[in-house]
Amino acid sequence: MSFFSRSSTKSAASSVHSLAKGKEVPEPTSKIFTTPPEGITPKKKWEYNEEQLAKIAELREYTSTLMLPESDPYYPWEARFLADPGCHPRYMRAAKWKLPDAKNRIKGTIEWRREFKPELIVPDEVSVEAETGKIILTGFDEDARPILYLRPGRENTETSPRQIRHLIYHLERAIDLMPPGQEQVAIIVDYKSATSQSNPSISTGRKVLSILQNHYVERLGRGLVVNMSWWINAFFTGISPFLDPITRDKIRFNPKLEELVPVHQLDCEFGGQYNFQFDHDEYWKTLTEFCRLGPDGCRSNLQGEKWYPPLGNGIKAAMDGLVPRKGSVVSGDVVKADDPEADTSIPGLAALASGSTSKEDQTAAERIVEQTREGQTTESNGEANGESDEAALSNGLAKTKLESGEAGPVPAVETKPGGPVGDFVFDHPPTTPEINEALRAAA
């Protein structure tokens, strides 16, 4: 029997009707919550023994040997990622404190980030994916985790790498919204109105899992799935062999969301008192401005200068001039940027202390944006010269194709912007091979 079997608990969305019948629905609003409400703070506190701290230090020493040269325009972003106090501990926990495994994992992530550059996804590149609100970031659960709502029923585009970039863009924004002390996100997946045409294929699900499990390790705090139908159960069964056991344990089906999320932070559609009405323009503007994102994907400070906000304690703490304490291994251990105990490995620390950004930092940021644009132009030229999307991405796609029924780690994939990739467009009900694959996985 599959662990994805339905819960006997009523669907969370069914509480919407009871709310509408028994309670007054609050006034609608298009405002999103970007900071936790008063009294909602992270509850999980990571503590490490001496042996674990020694392994974390050894992993840090190892990654210092992998870093790009300072002359590389992506260097400040890589240094920023590795300076996150929770970064190395997350990889050690994910590797179950096996140092060789942790080294392999973090090396793979460093290489992936150099190729994908998730910090520099240009808002306009993925804005079209956000027009229907199929992914919305707003509110916090009882543990101050930012909430990502995923609604496959609102799908508005064909399957393409841009859809994955849109999801990663929102994950990066969720990390921006995490308050000091919080390292994880809560994801609510609502299958209301979803069809087999709008739901991603098992192959696409594996690609997403590859990125989340390999490159956003220990970032999922809760995965809450509501309004499941039989074919969705088959879909989850099909990808279950590729889920890390710890990740599987964090997923719940048809839970009572009111017990996990403060009602004033929970969408009315799920029994809360937050009557959120999606307005794309207002949502996109609020999110990009709060996260200090410019049109080119780079960050800017209050003076409008290029900026590398320290990672690990949220964008608000960074705006307040807070940075990790030197040697810290947990989120929430912060000091002012001009404090002698501040972590000096953070790129642009002097700028944080003085409120300005050096000309060199601005030049580096501009170079990397230009390189990203040139790469996208090259891809467009290849298409204009008659090269199909499938041919252009064949090497990357080859990495993601697994033999039917085969379980094991999902390989890294190429996920560049581009048009729909024919093999992975899920424009049909589940086929016999897909159903058979799900049944084999459930056996």
Side-chain angles (χ1 to χ4, degrees), residues 231-290:
W231 57 267
I232 296 170
N233 188 68
F235 167 77
F236 275 107
T237 300
I239 65 172
S240 66
F242 305 93
L243 282 170
D244 180 88
I246 295 176
T247 301
R248 285 204 299 264
D249 290 343
K250 294 177 181 178
I251 298 176
R252 295 290 179 269
F253 295 86
N254 296 329
K256 292 183 178 180
L257 295 180
E258 310 97 304
E259 297 177 357
L260 304 172
V261 182
V263 291
H264 56 285
Q265 298 278 307
L266 179 64
D267 196 312
C268 280
E269 197 168 342
F270 306 107
Q273 297 175 8
Y274 176 33
N275 190 6
F276 180 71
Q277 302 295 310
F278 180 71
D279 180 296
H280 172 262
D281 291 343
E282 183 173 346
Y283 171 78
W284 207 243
K285 181 176 185 291
T286 301
L287 192 60
T288 54
E289 288 184 354
F290 182 82

Side-chain angles (χ1 to χ4, degrees), residues 35 115 142 173 180 196 237 285 320 360 375 377 385 400 403 443:
T35 56
E115 175 70 21
E142 290 287 357
R173 302 293 74 77
S196 59
T237 300
K285 181 176 185 291
D320 291 340
E360 290 76 11
T377 302
N385 291 332
T400 70
E403 293 295 325

Side-chain angles (χ1 to χ4, degrees), residues 3-287:
F3 77 94
F4 288 111
S5 58
R6 287 176 175 238
S7 165
S8 60
T9 306
K10 289 178 63 180
S11 167
S14 66
S15 61
V16 177
H17 304 295
S18 62
L19 174 66
K21 292 178 182 179
K23 298 180 182 179
E24 182 178 350
V25 178
E27 287 294 319
T29 179
S30 296
K31 177 184 176 182
I32 63 173
F33 296 115
T34 54
T35 56
E38 186 176 353
I40 298 297
T41 58
K43 296 180 175 61
K44 176 69 176 179
K45 304 294 184 184
W46 294 106
E47 296 181 356
Y48 305 107
N49 59 36
E50 290 186 7
E51 181 182 358
Q52 291 170 334
L53 289 172
K55 289 184 177 181
I56 292 170
E58 189 171 346
L59 185 61
R60 278 180 165 171
E61 181 64 27
Y62 170 71
T63 57
S64 70
T65 68
L66 304 177
M67 291 186 65
L68 291 166
E70 293 188 22
S71 58
D72 191 291
Y74 190 65
Y75 168 80
W77 297 104
E78 185 164 286
R80 173 181 180 264
F81 169 71
L82 294 173
D84 174 0
C87 176
H88 296 83
R90 281 194 298 273
Y91 279 84
M92 286 305 312
R93 298 200 307 267
K96 300 176 177 60
W97 298 97
K98 298 175 182 176
L99 189 58
D101 186 18
K103 288 181 177 180
N104 288 334
R105 282 172 173 258
I106 201 166
K107 182 176 183 289
T109 294
I110 290 172
E111 293 171 349
W112 174 81
R113 294 182 77 91
R114 289 173 184 173
E115 175 70 21
F116 201 97
K117 297 180 177 64
E119 308 95 330
L120 296 171
I121 296 176
V122 177
D124 283 351
E125 175 195 334
V126 295
S127 177
V128 63
E129 298 287 347
E131 288 181 353
T132 57
K134 62 189 176 189
I135 300 180
I136 296 173
L137 175 61
T138 181
F140 296 79
D141 73 1
E142 290 287 357
D143 293 315
R145 300 184 186 97
I147 301 173
L148 265 179
Y149 292 92
L150 275 58
R151 292 181 170 96
R154 297 184 181 182
E155 185 56 75
N156 63 322
T157 61
E158 294 290 336
T159 300
S160 76
R162 188 180 62 195
Q163 289 183 337
I164 297 178
R165 290 179 71 80
H166 175 233
L167 173 61
I168 298 304
Y169 178 88
H170 268 93
L171 279 172
E172 290 288 324
R173 302 293 74 77
I175 292 171
D176 283 338
L177 266 55
M178 291 175 186
Q182 183 54 264
E183 302 179 12
Q184 298 179 321
V185 62
I187 298 179
I188 297 177
V189 186
D190 174 25
Y191 280 102
K192 181 180 180 182
S193 302
T195 65
S196 59
Q197 286 78 19
S198 63
N199 197 53
S201 67
I202 291 175
S203 297
T204 300
R206 288 173 179 168
K207 288 198 293 183
V208 172
L209 281 176
S210 169
I211 293 174
L212 299 186
Q213 293 189 157
N214 294 334
H215 308 311
Y216 287 85
V217 301
E218 292 286 297
R219 284 299 196 182
L220 177 65
R222 283 188 179 129
L224 310 171
V225 185
V226 298
N227 290 318
M228 290 181 65
S229 61
W230 73 267
W231 57 267
I232 296 170
N233 188 68
F235 167 77
F236 275 107
T237 300
I239 65 172
S240 66
F242 305 93
L243 282 170
D244 180 88
I246 295 176
T247 301
R248 285 204 299 264
D249 290 343
K250 294 177 181 178
I251 298 176
R252 295 290 179 269
F253 295 86
N254 296 329
K256 292 183 178 180
L257 295 180
E258 310 97 304
E259 297 177 357
L260 304 172
V261 182
V263 291
H264 56 285
Q265 298 278 307
L266 179 64
D267 196 312
C268 280
E269 197 168 342
F270 306 107
Q273 297 175 8
Y274 176 33
N275 190 6
F276 180 71
Q277 302 295 310
F278 180 71
D279 180 296
H280 172 262
D281 291 343
E282 183 173 346
Y283 171 78
W284 207 243
K285 181 176 185 291
T286 301
L287 192 60

